[in-house]
Amino acid sequence: MKVCVVGIGLIGGSLAKALRANGFATEVLGVDRSESHLEKALDLGIIDKGVELDQGIGEADIIILSTPVDYITSLAHEVLDQVNDKQVVMDVGSTKAQIMDSIKHHQRRGRFVGTHPMAGTEYSGPEAALEDLFTGKCTVIVDSESSDPDALARVTALYESMQMVIVHHESH
């Protein structure tokens, strides 16, 4: 499974490390506005290569949005506009309402899975990434009834590969 992580900080970098280590990801592509973050992530073996967003979307099976929440809302649209019906887009933002509201009418809404892994440290940047940051922690999957079943299954498998506890929060 080829994974593209957009935002190679603590959370994105830790996801990349864990998914490479456990074999879920066969290749990890990294996208980051900071060239130094990409170089550091390459040097540390967190990602296999740094790419531009369009290339990452074009090559990946799963695109993980791991940027600040304010950026995820616009980024989600840009990514969903480009994915096909086999690709999955997920976010790991800490707040969900703004993100989920921003995409609820997108024609490819079903390809998106909103999540919030409950993990972190006080550190930031790729050098703060920890392979076991998510082990045994809880992640919340929100509004899963609006996600395509195969997209939801792939994100569930991703979190299970990291031994996370999965909780579903449905909107009503």
Side-chain angles (χ1 to χ4, degrees):
M1 183 94 38
K2 194 179 281 194
V3 176
C4 176
V5 179
V6 182
I8 309 294
L10 169 68
I11 301 297
S14 294
L15 278 166
K17 282 182 98 161
L19 296 172
R20 285 188 70 191
N22 70 24
F24 185 89
T26 54
E27 184 176 9
V28 177
L29 309 174
V31 176
D32 202 290
R33 290 191 295 188
S34 166
E35 194 62 42
S36 66
H37 274 195
L38 284 178
E39 289 172 13
K40 179 64 83 171
L42 278 167
D43 290 346
L44 295 171
I46 295 171
I47 61 174
D48 294 299
K49 64 181 177 179
V51 296
E52 294 295 321
L53 180 62
D54 291 348
Q55 181 182 349
I57 296 167
E59 292 184 21
D61 300 302
I62 298 179
I63 299 102
I64 301 172
L65 307 182
S66 181
T67 64
V69 172
D70 290 346
Y71 189 52
I72 290 175
T73 54
S74 61
L75 187 60
H77 278 272
E78 185 177 348
V79 175
L80 284 171
D81 285 345
Q82 296 181 54
V83 296
N84 62 40
D85 62 359
K86 300 286 185 222
Q87 292 173 291
V88 176
V89 182
M90 62 180 282
D91 85 291
V92 293
S94 59
T95 59
K96 305 283 16 126
Q98 180 183 359
I99 296 167
M100 302 315 285
D101 284 347
S102 77
I103 61 156
K104 68 181 173 187
H105 299 297
H106 195 284
Q107 66 181 6
R108 294 204 183 270
R109 164 60 187 93
R111 303 316 302 161
F112 191 91
V113 181
T115 77
H116 178 199
M118 307 287 185
T121 71
E122 66 273 27
Y123 303 107
S124 62
E127 53 279 336
L130 301 168
E131 184 179 312
D132 63 350
L133 180 67
F134 302 102
T135 305
K137 302 290 192 330
C138 180
T139 189
V140 180
I141 297 179
V142 300
D143 194 23
S144 58
E145 72 271 10
S146 298
S147 297
D148 293 342
D150 68 301
L152 183 59
R154 199 173 303 165
V155 171
T156 299
L158 179 147
Y159 281 127
E160 287 174 345
S161 78
M162 295 187 299
Q163 302 169 26
M164 291 195 79
V165 176
I166 301 168
V167 175
H168 291 269
H169 180 272
E170 304 306 332
S171 63
H172 298 290

